Structures are given as structure tokens and as C-alpha cells.
Amino acid sequence: MADAKLPHAKLIDGKAFALGLRQRVGAGVAELVATGAPKPGLATVLVGADPASQVYVRSKGKLAAELGMASFDHRLPAETTEAELLALIATLNADPAINGILVQLPLPRHIDTSHVLLAVDPAKDVDGFHPINVGRLGSIAAGAPLDFPVPCTPLGISMLLQDALKSLSGLHAVVIGRSNLVGRPVAQLLLRADCTVTITHSRTRDLPGLCRQADIVVVAIGKREFVRGDWIKPGAAVIDVGINRIVAAEGKTKLVGDAAFAEILPVAGHLTPVPGGVGPMTVACLMFNTLQAARRAAGLKVVSV
Ligand code: GUN
């Protein structure tokens, strides 16, 4: 049991922060267009009819339009060949009206994702998945500007942590999960912010013991309520990237994270809820990345992060 005297964690309100970021992006779009530059353009590409992916792509296009951007929605049938998809990407790369290209993942199995990610112009790679951008992030110096696209969820996490904790310098961050989507890039961003970073994964020994040393725990592994309350150092910040759908009472579905929220709440200093924590930051950061790409295309300096 946690000490009853300990205060409850402060909830990190990702929904509110994302709303503010969206407003800042909308204002940035208006400012850019006022200089005579064209509207920032975001192309989304979805291959196949996965229902969750359809929802994500629709919400990205809708938000882009709300923020004053031009949105180009490409839906391709599941049987699309890799060559056909690469041909579309080449067209989008060459189109000056498009500043950002987002190919929704996962792709059907007959398409090699690495070929597709490599085909996107690195300047339009608003997901930050192109090997050039992955390499830039992997070799960035402490505090150096992010003048290239950075993966959206990790960028959102670093914004939330900077906002909640102010300085991250010298803090020990334990990242659970080593995916290209979240674990690795978030570790690089925390290193850039002068954290001491430990990346852990399914073969890590004594994960609870490592977590107990952490000032920041970021968990992104897709296992419901995996991180327990007694793994957390009192006062630590816990960032929960998991979105796991479970069947709750009366057959209703409910979203839970990778961290045991009720156990961690009395121990941690800061905690992201699920939903309403990291989730809303991803699409807001996609809009941010698209604006940044449009600013670069117009020869303007990017907004610093
Ligand atoms: N599928 C799940 N998350 C993402 C993401 O951040 N970007 C893309 N392109 N596809 C995804």
C-alpha cells in the first residue's frame, strides 16, 4: 500500500495541451498564409479498409482542414501493389502543394513497409519514419534544434514532460519498449533533453528494480496494466502510451493503459491518464510537423520545440 500521506499524482492533461497546440498550429497556419505562402498541404494515404485506420486517417484529414491546411486523402484498395503505392508517393513527393505525406501503418503484408518509408521525401516525412530522419534524431546533440521531422507520439510525450517538469536535465528516464514508433525515438528526445536514459524491453532483467530508480517512466508495450504501483518511485512522472481495449462491466468496452492507473496514482508525482493523456498529442503533433514542413518549404525558420 502506498503511504496515505503522499499526495496523489498530478494528472497530465494531454487533451487540454493538445487543444492548445492545435490552436497554436492554426494560428501558425494563418500567419504563414498571410505571408503569401500557399496553405500547408497534408496528404494521407491508406491502403486497405482496416476500420481503426480509417478512423485515424479521417480524423487527421478533418483536423488538417480545421486548422486551415489543405488535406489530400488517398484511399487505395487492399490489393494495391507495392509498385503502385511507390508511384503514388513519387507523385506526392513532386507535388509542391503537398508539404506532408502520411502513409498509415500497418500496410498490407505483401507491401514492404521499409521500401515505402524510404520512398517518402525526407522533407515531407511528417511521421519522422524515413531512415534519414531516424538517423538525424539518433545523432542529435544535447539541446540542438529539431530542424527535421520527429515522430509524432514521442514529440508529444517530450512536450508534455517539458511542460509538467520544466527541466528534464539529469533525470533518470526508464523507457519500456524499443519500438521504432515510440520507444527508441522517445529515448533519443529524452537524451537530447539531458536525461539519463535506460531503454528496456522484454528481455530486460529486473524491470521493476530499474523502474524504482526512475524519475520518469515511459511505457509503450501494449500490455494492459503492466507497470505496477510498487515499481514507481514516489514523486516520479509516469507516461502511459498504451491503448488497450478491454471488455468492462455490462459488455461495454473500455480503454486502459500499460500502467496500473489506480495503483500508480497515489505514488507518482505526475501521471498521464488513458484516454486523454498521450493519445491526443499524436495527431496534434502531426499538424505541428506539417506546419513546420510548410515553413521550411517557404524558406522560413521552424518554430522551436
Ligand atoms: N499507425 C499507428 N500509429 C501511426 C502513426 O503514428 N503514423 C502512421 N503513419 N501510422 C500509424
Side-chain angles (χ1 to χ4, degrees):
M1 272 298 284
D3 187 331
K5 289 193 295 295
L6 284 170
H8 275 212
K10 201 168 172 314
L11 289 184
I12 295 179
D13 189 345
K15 201 172 159 189
F17 192 96
L19 210 57
L21 178 59
R22 284 157 56 161
Q23 284 164 354
R24 291 196 295 282
V25 171
V29 170
E31 188 193 307
L32 178 64
V33 171
T35 68
K39 280 183 177 186
L42 173 66
T44 54
V45 181
L46 174 60
V47 184
D50 175 63
S53 292
Q54 284 178 330
V55 172
Y56 292 140
V57 166
R58 197 176 315 125
S59 71
K60 289 165 186 175
K62 192 166 158 263
L63 182 57
E66 267 174 47
L67 300 185
M69 302 187 188
S71 144
F72 305 88
D73 183 15
H74 294 270
R75 306 284 173 108
L76 304 178
E79 319 74 66
T80 302
T81 64
E82 186 176 303
E84 286 166 337
L85 179 56
L86 294 177
L88 171 62
I89 291 172
T91 310
L92 301 174
N93 282 343
D95 185 344
I98 289 170
N99 303 108
I101 301 170
L102 179 132
V103 182
Q104 185 66 28
L105 303 180
L107 289 166
R109 272 208 295 274
H110 65 276
I111 296 178
D112 186 329
T113 302
S114 67
H115 293 171
V116 174
L117 300 182
L118 198 59
V120 174
D121 178 347
K124 299 189 178 188
D125 171 36
V126 282
D127 259 327
F129 292 165
H130 190 288
I132 288 210
N133 291 323
V134 174
R136 285 171 169 159
L137 184 58
S139 55
I140 196 168
L146 290 175
D147 49 10
F148 53 88
V150 172
C152 301
T153 304
L155 181 61
I157 292 169
S158 77
M159 287 180 184
L160 292 178
L161 280 170
Q162 298 275 2
D163 183 62
L165 304 181
K166 307 311 172 203
S167 172
L168 306 185
S169 181
L171 299 183
H172 182 199
V174 167
V175 177
I176 308 175
R178 53 179 154 177
S179 73
N180 293 334
L181 206 62
V182 182
R184 285 172 204 244
V186 87
Q188 298 294 355
L189 286 172
L190 293 171
L191 202 53
R192 169 181 174 265
D194 292 321
C195 288
T196 301
V197 182
T198 303
I199 304 177
T200 70
H201 47 78
S202 54
R203 304 300 165 95
T204 295
R205 294 188 189 157
D206 190 21
L207 181 57
L210 280 170
C211 283
R212 283 183 203 110
Q213 297 173 34
D215 304 300
I216 297 169
V217 175
V218 179
V219 58
I221 52 167
K223 290 190 177 165
R224 58 179 280 199
E225 297 171 329
F226 179 76
V227 173
R228 310 308 309 190
D230 65 357
W231 298 18
I232 301 302
K233 180 164 84 173
V238 178
I239 304 294
D240 187 350
V241 192
I243 302 177
N244 307 288
R245 199 171 288 279
I246 62 164
V247 179
E250 296 153 21
K252 285 189 182 151
T253 64
K254 178 180 165 211
L255 296 182
V256 298
D258 290 350
F261 184 84
E263 283 181 21
I264 293 173
L265 193 61
V267 188
H270 292 86
L271 175 60
T272 57
V274 176
V278 173
M281 290 302 291
T282 301
V283 64
C285 285
L286 175 67
M287 300 302 130
F288 178 79
N289 280 348
T290 306
L291 173 62
Q292 298 281 67
R295 287 184 63 86
R296 273 184 222 108
L300 298 170
K301 268 182 62 172
V302 292
V303 177
S304 64
V305 185

